[in-house]
Amino acid sequence: MTNHATMHAISQDEYGTPDVLKETEVPRPKPGPSEILVAVRASGLNPTDWKHRTGGMFLDRLPLVLGWDVSGVVEEVGYGVTLFKPGDEVFGMLPYPYGVGAHAEYVKGPARAFTHKPDSIDHVQAGALPLAALTAYQALVDTAQVRPGQRVLVHAAAGGVGHLAVQIAKALGAYVIGTASEPKHEFLRSLGADEVIDYRSVDFRDVVGDVDVVLDTISGETRVRSLEVLRPGGVLVSLLPGTDPEEPAKAEARGVRVETLLVEADQAGMKAVAELASSGALRAHVEGVFPLAEAAKAHAVGETGRVTGKLVLTVGS
């Protein structure tokens, strides 16, 4: 007999290496007002997962169930929810960072963090998209307001956020330049990148300039040097804090804007991601798929830093 009071989840009682992740039985959540309960079918992994696993970021509570990406089937709706019914296939990102918990059989979240999953993509594809695609969309559309014909430089363009940002920028009509190691150049060209730079052998400042928008997923020296390739009026959007105390003065002197972005749950953004995915303009490259019980193995693969695209955990049938 199925126990509806509990569920399986990947939990940790301490911070540390992937070995701290254990499959365990935990209470099954109940949706509150304006929330839905989703039977998870797939959930993407992102660098923020292993960073939180080791501690030192936003979440200081244990035990901890990680995961923000969700694709699944609505199991139950809370009071006041009108957008979804049980049986609907949905995908979305749980509110970052405190709404965590997708690496489980069920998860609850605000109804408006989700949208309907396109029929044209499966749960693995949908589970790979939310956090990384929303990050790229909020950086390029909401923050930088990329326009057709603009020059966009994407750092770590073959990574989870980067490879989706290349596709979104192309869908916006931009001329896209990506940095990546040479073996990943053909992959980026297949996504539509107009130029690709091997960061291992070339200083991007020597081969690119007059850039309107830089999406920096690395920070550090990459963020510092990126200011030099922006044209006046350009914008640098970084996903990590800067390290240069003189950055504001340098940006002002060059007439450019610098923003540090933290992704937010966003139904309008998820609807835009769904439309791009449905049209074929946006597709996650999924390098590895792991059953929920092998989450520790997936973490170990992910934190090598050599993954192209995304890794995904699958749950249930």
Side-chain angles (χ1 to χ4, degrees), residues 143-155:
T143 305
Q145 300 179 353
V146 171
R147 301 184 301 277
Q150 287 191 316
R151 290 166 58 82
V152 175
L153 172 62
V154 179
H155 288 300

Side-chain angles (χ1 to χ4, degrees), residues 16 25 37 66 85 87 91 117 124 140 158 180 190 214 249 261 269 288 293 298:
E25 198 165 319
L37 179 69
L66 290 167
K85 304 297 181 188
F91 76 135
K117 180 185 75 66
V124 169
L140 297 174
S190 75
V214 176
L261 173 76

Side-chain angles (χ1 to χ4, degrees), residues 251-313:
E252 183 177 3
R254 297 187 65 86
V256 301
R257 179 165 60 101
V258 178
E259 303 285 359
T260 301
L261 173 76
L262 189 66
V263 67
E264 300 178 66
D266 173 11
Q267 190 183 55
M270 280 306 306
K271 286 182 176 180
V273 167
E275 290 174 4
L276 287 166
S278 184
S279 71
L282 182 66
R283 183 168 181 82
H285 174 80
V286 178
E287 182 161 303
V289 179
F290 301 82
L292 182 67
E294 295 183 8
K297 181 179 178 181
H299 271 243
V301 172
E303 64 186 351
T304 65
R306 295 192 292 268
V307 173
T308 299
K310 293 294 299 288
L311 302 174
V312 175
L313 298 177

Side-chain angles (χ1 to χ4, degrees), residues 29-46:
K30 290 281 294 181
S34 301
E35 293 182 328
I36 60 175
L37 179 69
V38 179
V40 181
R41 294 291 179 262
S43 179
L45 283 162
N46 298 281

Side-chain angles (χ1 to χ4, degrees), residues 133-182:
L134 272 182
T135 300
Y137 186 87
Q138 290 172 6
L140 297 174
V141 176
D142 297 338
T143 305
Q145 300 179 353
V146 171
R147 301 184 301 277
Q150 287 191 316
R151 290 166 58 82
V152 175
L153 172 62
V154 179
H155 288 300
V161 171
H163 85 292
L164 299 175
V166 168
Q167 297 173 70
I168 292 172
K170 287 303 297 181
L172 294 170
Y175 182 92
V176 181
I177 308 157
T179 65
S181 60
E182 194 279 331

Side-chain angles (χ1 to χ4, degrees), residues 48-49 52 59 61 63-70 94-103 107-108:
T48 190
D49 288 296
H52 277 93
L59 304 175
R61 65 178 188 261
L64 176 62
V65 177
L66 290 167
W68 287 267
D69 286 335
V70 181
L94 299 175
Y96 185 87
Y98 302 112
V100 68
H103 295 165
V107 70
K108 70 174 182 177

